[in-house]
Amino acid sequence: MRTSRIRTAALAAATAALGLALTACGGSSDDNGGGKASDGGRSAGSSGSAEGATVNADKGATVGAGKDSASASASGASAGAGKEAAAKGNGAKASAAGVRACDGQEMSYSVLHRFAKQRGEHLLITATNADTKPCYVTSYPSVMLGDTVGVLPHSGKDTPGGGKALVVKPGGKVYAAVNLFSDSARTHTSSDLSIAMLDHTGDAGPGAGTEAFDAKGVPSKFTWTSADVTNWNTAKPYDY
C-alpha cells in the first residue's frame, strides 16, 4: 500500500478549532465536510499480538514520576491563537505510572470497512504499538475522512472510559470505530482517511494516512453525510 506523511499541522489546527472535549462521553454527530486539504498519504497497518492493558487513573496511577494527573478535557482554544488545553472537572483522569503517552509515530494503523451500505456501517481502526517500549493512549483518535479537513467529533453514544489511560505494550493493540451516517443526498465518498493520536491536553500528534479495506483486503470506498468516532478501547467496538 502507498505511504506518505500527513499534514500534522492541519490535524492539530482543526482539532483546536473544533474545541474537542476529551470527556468520557459527549459530543454529537456532525458533518465533517469542509475545504480541501492537500492529498493525504496512505500507510498499511501491521498487526501485533499482545493485548493493551487498561490502567485506571482513579486508582492513583500517574504519568512519569509525578503524582499529578490532569482531567481530560480540552479548553476549546480558538483557531489561529494556538491550542490552549486545560483540565476541566469532568472527573475523568488520564495517567499511567512511568509510561509515556503514545504520539502516533510508534503506531501502525489498519482500517477495516464493516457492514458497507448497511445499518451499523463503520470503520474499525486498529492501532498496533510497533515500538519496543509501552506507551499509553487516552480519549479517541483525531480522524479526518477523505480530503475534508473537519476533525470528527466524539460519539455521543459512546460508552464511558475515555479519560482512562490505556497502556499499549509492544505489539499490543487498541481499537476505535468511525460511525458513518448517510441520511441525505449531500454525501462524501472516499476510501482514505487520516489518523492522529490525541494526548490528555487535546494536542494531536503526527498524522498518518491510510486506506480502508474490506474483509477480503480490497480497498473499500465508504460514503457519509456525517460521522463520529468512539474512544480507544482494548476490545473491538461493535464486535458482532
Side-chain angles (χ1 to χ4, degrees), residues 6-36:
I6 293 296
R7 63 251 184 250
T8 303
L11 278 167
T15 302
L18 293 179
L20 290 178
L22 302 182
T23 56
C25 61
S28 60
S29 299
D30 190 18
D31 187 346
N32 72 312
K36 300 285 183 179

Side-chain angles (χ1 to χ4, degrees), residues 36-240:
K36 300 285 183 179
S38 57
D39 289 339
R42 297 167 181 171
S43 62
S46 63
S47 62
S49 60
E51 292 294 334
T54 301
V55 177
N56 191 332
D58 292 335
K59 294 183 179 178
T62 58
V63 178
K67 297 283 186 177
D68 297 329
S69 58
S71 297
S73 178
S75 64
S78 60
K83 293 187 299 293
E84 295 181 357
K88 287 197 174 182
N90 67 328
K93 298 181 179 180
S95 61
V99 180
R100 64 179 179 82
C102 304
D103 64 13
Q105 297 186 85
E106 67 284 284
M107 288 296 179
S108 176
Y109 300 102
S110 64
V111 180
L112 175 64
H113 185 194
R114 306 184 73 188
F115 308 109
K117 299 180 181 180
Q118 301 178 43
R119 185 178 180 86
E121 180 178 7
H122 66 274
L123 304 175
L124 174 64
I125 299 174
T126 302
T128 303
N129 184 359
D131 201 0
T132 58
K133 296 181 180 180
C135 62
Y136 77 85
V137 300
T138 188
S139 183
Y140 48 92
S142 178
V143 178
M144 294 192 295
L145 301 180
D147 57 4
T148 64
V149 294
V151 177
L152 298 185
H154 178 226
S155 172
K157 297 182 179 180
D158 200 4
T159 56
K164 295 180 181 178
L166 303 179
V167 175
V168 190
K169 296 180 179 179
K173 301 178 182 180
V174 286
Y175 307 92
V178 173
N179 302 307
L180 303 168
F181 307 102
S182 296
D183 52 15
S184 74
R186 185 178 166 221
T187 59
H188 310 275
T189 300
S190 181
S191 62
D192 300 319
L193 65 157
S194 55
I195 306 167
M197 287 287 176
L198 293 175
D199 64 19
H200 66 281
T201 70
D203 287 329
T210 186
E211 272 188 298
F213 293 84
D214 63 18
K216 296 181 179 179
V218 178
S220 183
K221 288 188 175 183
F222 50 90
T223 300
W224 75 100
T225 303
S226 61
D228 58 29
V229 62
T230 68
N231 290 320
W232 289 114
N233 204 305
T234 55
K236 295 179 182 179
Y238 318 128
D239 192 18
Y240 48 82

